[in-house]
Amino acid sequence: MDEDMELIGEEDLKAALLQHPKGVGVPVSHTNRCGDEVKIRTIVFKVIGMTCSSCATSMESALMKLNGIKSVMVSPLQGQAVVKYNPESISAKLIKEAAEETGFQVDEFPEQDIAVCRLRIKGMACTSCSESVERALLMVDGVKKAVVGLALEEAKIHYDPSITNTDHITEAIEDSGFGANLISSGSDLNKVHLKLEGISSQDDLNVIRCSLEYLEGVNHVEFDIKEHVVSVSYEPDIIGPRYLIQCIQEAGKGLSSYQASLFTPPSPQDMERRHEVQMYRNQFLWSCLFSVPIFISSMVLPMLPPYGNWLEYKVLNMLSIGLLLRFYAGSYHALRRKSANMDVLVALGTNAAYFYSIYIIIKALTSESFEGQDFFETSAMLISFILLGKYLEVLAKGKTSDALAKLADLAPDTAYLLTMDGDGNVLSDVEINTQLIQKNDILKIVPGAKVPVDGVVVDGQSFVNESMITGEARPVAKGPGDKVIGGTVNENGCLVIRATHVGSESALSQIVQLVEAAQLARAPVQKLADQISRFFVPTVVVAAFTTWLGWFISGEAGIYPKWWIPKAMDAFELALQFGISVLVVACPCALGLATPTAVMVATGKGASQGVLIKGGDALEKAHKVKIVVFDKTGTLTVGKPAVVSAVLFSNISMEEFCDMAIAAESNSEHPIGKAVVEHAKKFCLNFGTQKECLTEVKDFEVHTGAGVSGKVREKTIFVGNKRLMRLFNVALGGEVEAYISENEKLARSCVIVAIDGTVAGAFAVTDPVKPEAARVVSFLHSMNIVSVMVTGDNWATATAIGEEVGIQKVFAETDPIGKADKIKELQLKGLTVAMVGDGINDSPALVAADVGMAIGAGTDVAIEAADVVLIKSNLEDVVTAIDLSRKTMLRIRLNYVWALGYNVLAMPIAAGILFPFTGIRLPPWLAGACMAASSVSVVCSSLLLQSYEKPLKVQAV
């Protein structure tokens, strides 16, 4: 525990960003923004061509002259600049132009300052609602992209903050007839909320604001004056929450004494969900208070004389007590309709029943002989059933994101922070809130405790259970230098780790963000519901009117016998009941929920098992996969090659041979290159001069898919495969060819070392095949999926590996671009192709494939090239991803069959198609109950995916 154990102290926190032990980072002073409400933004870009600190100083000086620049920090060592600016005074484009005018090349500059926010949308009932919200958002000037999730009841908006803001976006949604609450904005990713004590006036708040805004790394400060809470957005690479608390306390030295403590505001999503459940439950109970008496008075008591006779007592003319009671109850429901969020069809149906019943009351009040059937119980009971359906639907929809909620809750509440001295001795051991952890903190993980954040082990040995993140059932051994993931459980030993990723940068946070984004993304299969929703409501209204008109004309014209009409009704009232039933029985909501609820459950379930699916599009494509293309190294093999033999073919000594190989391969990132370096270093240490060989290489160059080259001690050296030797006309003698052929038959790769055009020697490298590879290939075959291997390795080794795992079609000696070309060739045959790679040199192929699967991503869950990220290195998750996709698409189809089938069958029955033959008719209140049940049944159908289990489980060895 030496340099790994260094903590970020007060002076470190005040140092410039990008400060490096061997580099120069010059902090530039800035003015105090006391009382300024403007949000300061940070932009980071690469600067090419800097050679010394004077280069950095010249660029900083030039940029600081611009109006609106708060601070500039440039590191010549890292070739990177960080600029903080006021977007209302200067644009990012002008900053780029000014940087280029200093004579340096600017790279990786974000061309457009795009902000992202998430909003909770209230009042959406079907896909037409979500489409209306999307259209309203896209019409806002400055909004670049908007995605609205019906099942999630959220919207994710990409917008230009220099043109619009979250307030304008919220207003646009509200103007379209829906409610909207801000869930988060881009600056919320690293935000801490602090409860303030000792605040007595506005001056105290101003002092604290000035102190915080002056700090380097603070982006924005906002106060909740009523609750005495300050929210601070900050850069975790520069500053942390503990230092913010310290700053507030130091600001109170003198007349005032300020204290700050961590404050956790209630989750707006959870609050909104609980409020919605409580609202529908209360409305349903209040509705029952009025509906039950109506049901009893209109349907039960009249059938039980003499108990129901008093209801027939005439108050005035033909106005009876029963009619009057139902009127008052019906009035309550009519007033409650707006708050019940009724869609157009329900509103039309209840209004038709209610206002016709008003007409009956007026006629009964003014006539001494008029008799008619009121429909107050229809509107009352209909609304009650709709509210019950909404209540059950909200409860069920809350269950669809259970898996995601469990992931988000994996991180522990507290952690043990160690303070160390310069010699690595522990000075103090303090338990702190996990949200107060900062980068480079040294933390102690006791046996049985959860790992609080991502980090690197600096001391101790233990086994860590990572099943909650990766789905891997077997505990993984951890020692110094190994990475640990936040949310996993330390099994037996005590570990000391250094925090490397905190807050939104942690693997757990990135997984949650990825799954949330996936749940918002629409699957192409949802287009069917979107198309139907456009004409569904008008079609139902026309069908209902046609039903009423058909039955009414038929009754008046005497087409059907009079005895068909129930007692106390006439032809108009019978026709009206059929029309209202058609209106309320139709359910567009079930269609709209069929896809998004299934996608939500599937993506959440996949994440809990270590399979991250990036949206409905990837989920839908995966179920069509007919060919899976595997990379070899690190995918079918373990990915940790080891040298099994080294042979010389010249008069060079083994020590010099290893020294040259180390120099050439030391800059290589390829696993085989690393294996060669490791083996050669061991030889130098054990049999050489007992010290590491430190020969430098010049003119180093990587030849993709072939090897590396460079100059060592003025000698030209090539280290790679036969393709590299052929490329530079290096002759391979018979002895070399025999050695290569012999090892390739044993599934070993040969790394040839040529010095000045002559082969000096070679290394034989083996990479064991993963134990589950053959079973996975066999299982894919049982799913009617063909397996193919594409590798840059030689044909003999590739063929041997293919035979071992059961893959018959093999493409060898292929560079990364060639892999992508092979995938395109397979796609030209009309087949859906999935590519499985390690995400390092397989990016072109992952992008070219219909479904790219990055395997063994570990904590790197943000691989842009892949559609599916498999967190652990186990190949069984390839099967899991495809099988989960198939099960999900089957569930979506079943949902559509039910939703469409329900409407196709229910509407004719509601229209009275069975009435002439069986006398069965569907009263409006019962039609409403059916409509409510259909939505609930679709959501419950999607929830069945929560019981999904992996089809292939590799047994622990």
Side-chain angles (χ1 to χ4, degrees), residues 673-686:
K674 290 181 178 180
V676 168
V677 171
E678 184 179 356
H679 175 82
K681 281 185 176 181
K682 283 182 180 178
F683 180 87
C684 286
L685 290 172
N686 294 333

Side-chain angles (χ1 to χ4, degrees), residues 654-696:
M654 181 61 76
E655 183 178 351
E656 185 181 359
F657 174 71
C658 288
D659 189 15
M660 299 285 277
I662 291 171
E665 287 281 19
S666 59
N667 294 321
S668 174
E669 289 296 322
H670 198 282
I672 292 180
K674 290 181 178 180
V676 168
V677 171
E678 184 179 356
H679 175 82
K681 281 185 176 181
K682 283 182 180 178
F683 180 87
C684 286
L685 290 172
N686 294 333
F687 304 102
T689 59
Q690 296 299 314
K691 66 178 182 178
E692 286 198 12
C693 312
L694 300 172
T695 307
E696 292 186 3

Side-chain angles (χ1 to χ4, degrees), residues 743-755:
N743 281 282
E744 286 178 348
K745 290 178 182 177
L746 298 173
R748 297 172 181 172
S749 301
C750 287
V751 178
I752 307 165
V753 180
I755 301 174

